[in-house]
Amino acid sequence: MSRLSQPSAMNYNSTAPLIELHDISFSYPGSKTPALDELNFIPDQGKVGLIGPNGSGKTTLFHIIMGLLKPSDGQMLFKGKPLLKEKDFRKLRQEVGLLFQDADDQLFSPTVLEDVAFGPLNLKISPAKAREMAGQILKKLRLSDLEERVTHQLSGGEKKLVSLATILVMEPKLLLLDEPTNNLDSATRSRLIEILGSLEISCIIISHDWDFLAASTAEIYAMENGRLIRSGKSSLHNHFHVHLHGGQPHEHGG
Ligand SMILES: Nc1ncnc2c1ncn2[C@@H]1O[C@H](COP(=O)(O)OP(=O)(O)OP(=O)(O)O)[C@@H](O)[C@H]1O
Ligand SMILES: [Mg+2]
């Protein structure tokens, strides 16, 4: 049997990109237009941004990468190896963390400390060690005051930061952040920018907040109608003058 006919038997390649998406298509059941349409994406290492109009498929793309949705077509690779089965995605999820667009999708334990300790406990780390790891990451994010709080009673901004703690405690190599600055006040937003700046891991950050992306990423990809239409921060620019695009990134012809 040829090697190609047994892709799942291939080994991970340490020099390959962490994630590659080739010609990925996905449609939600009953929808006439695909949410992802033969999309190709090999994100750069480091921190990159992803912008695009509402409904252009950004969140869907993250859910496809995590294996929460299955593409109808195309190929996805993790460290050079095809992602085919749930067990391949379980491996990916040990190294890739997703901050959900809605923090209520992320948090489910009674208290903050239990929520942050949940991931390590799930990896069969001892309860004492898991609590210690949770305490450390909360301290690093200056959230120790929230440890014993009831998770569902936190404010939206607090939930966002605690959600980030539940992911960072797992020490991911790649962080997918879906609109992390949504509903944050300017102080919390600045704190998030500072936290992200201090992380030495790759991040893909979906945001409509151009200033935030400009401050926290080296490269920006743009999405439209389920496709990545362009990449390159230099091809998009941001300035303030009176026309339709306001402060949004845009291009001028000529
Ligand atoms: N569960 C679902 N069932 C059916 N259609 C869906 C579902 N989730 C999203 N869609 C549709 O798929 C398309 C892409 O949605 P997606 O949430 O990926 O967009 P987005 O770029 O993240 O938008 P936003 O900026 O508003 O968060 C939209 O047309 C949306 O209405
Ligand atoms: Mg979205």
Side-chain angles (χ1 to χ4, degrees):
M1 195 178 267
S2 81
R3 220 178 126 199
L4 271 180
S5 63
Q6 271 191 318
S8 62
M10 279 168 55
N11 291 324
Y12 292 113
N13 175 351
S14 60
T15 59
L18 200 62
I19 285 177
E20 294 173 59
L21 283 82
H22 299 286
D23 300 317
I24 293 292
S25 293
F26 173 82
S27 296
Y28 287 100
S31 173
K32 288 195 184 105
T33 45
L36 300 182
D37 188 10
E38 298 182 358
L39 176 140
N40 288 288
F41 187 35
I42 304 176
D44 281 0
Q45 282 191 8
K47 298 194 175 73
V48 304
L50 184 59
I51 60 169
N54 294 130
S56 56
K58 305 179 299 297
T59 296
T60 305
L61 170 62
F62 274 7
H63 290 187
I64 287 275
I65 291 174
M66 298 302 287
L68 306 176
L69 297 170
K70 304 290 173 210
S72 56
D73 248 313
Q75 191 185 39
M76 301 202 325
L77 306 178
F78 174 55
K79 295 195 282 194
K81 183 179 165 180
L83 284 157
L84 300 170
K85 299 188 176 145
E86 178 55 24
K87 99 173 158 19
D88 303 324
F89 282 100
R90 275 203 295 274
K91 284 237 163 63
L92 172 141
R93 287 186 213 113
Q94 286 173 11
E95 298 190 32
V96 182
L98 168 64
L99 184 78
F100 281 89
Q101 185 161 355
D102 182 351
D104 287 323
D105 289 336
Q106 199 114 38
L107 304 172
F108 47 81
S109 299
T111 69
V112 167
L113 192 70
E114 285 169 283
D115 234 325
V116 182
F118 180 84
L121 273 176
N122 218 19
L123 290 180
K124 309 271 184 281
I125 288 171
S126 75
K129 177 71 182 161
R131 286 174 74 86
E132 185 194 325
M133 289 166 73
Q136 277 171 359
I137 196 74
L138 286 167
K139 190 170 171 202
K140 188 172 167 199
L141 299 185
R142 286 186 269 138
L143 298 172
S144 298
D145 288 354
L146 301 181
E147 270 188 16
E148 300 306 326
R149 291 278 304 277
V150 175
T151 310
H152 77 263
Q153 291 174 350
L154 297 176
S155 76
E158 289 167 342
K159 280 182 184 170
K160 203 60 137 185
L161 294 176
V162 169
S163 296
L164 185 59
T166 67
I167 300 164
L168 292 182
V169 74
M170 305 299 283
E171 299 181 348
K173 289 207 175 74
L174 171 65
L175 192 56
L176 308 179
L177 300 141
D178 196 347
E179 302 201 23
T181 58
N182 250 8
N183 304 321
L184 298 188
D185 64 30
S186 63
T188 315
R189 180 175 172 277
S190 304
R191 219 165 124 203
L192 183 70
I193 292 175
E194 187 192 317
I195 291 168
L196 292 179
S198 72
L199 298 176
E200 288 175 2
I201 57 173
S202 291
C203 299
I204 307 175
I205 308 173
I206 293 175
S207 184
H208 298 287
D209 182 343
W210 170 253
D211 290 340
F212 166 68
L213 283 187
S216 31
T217 65
E219 177 78 18
I220 296 181
Y221 297 84
M223 237 179 126
E224 198 172 285
N225 298 328
R227 285 174 176 243
L228 275 180
I229 52 169
R230 183 184 293 274
S231 74
K233 201 166 181 170
S234 57
S235 65
L236 298 164
H237 65 264
N238 186 42
H239 54 200
F240 293 84
H241 52 202
V242 183
H243 68 36
L244 210 63
H245 297 290
Q248 295 301 308
H250 59 275
E251 292 174 273
H252 292 276

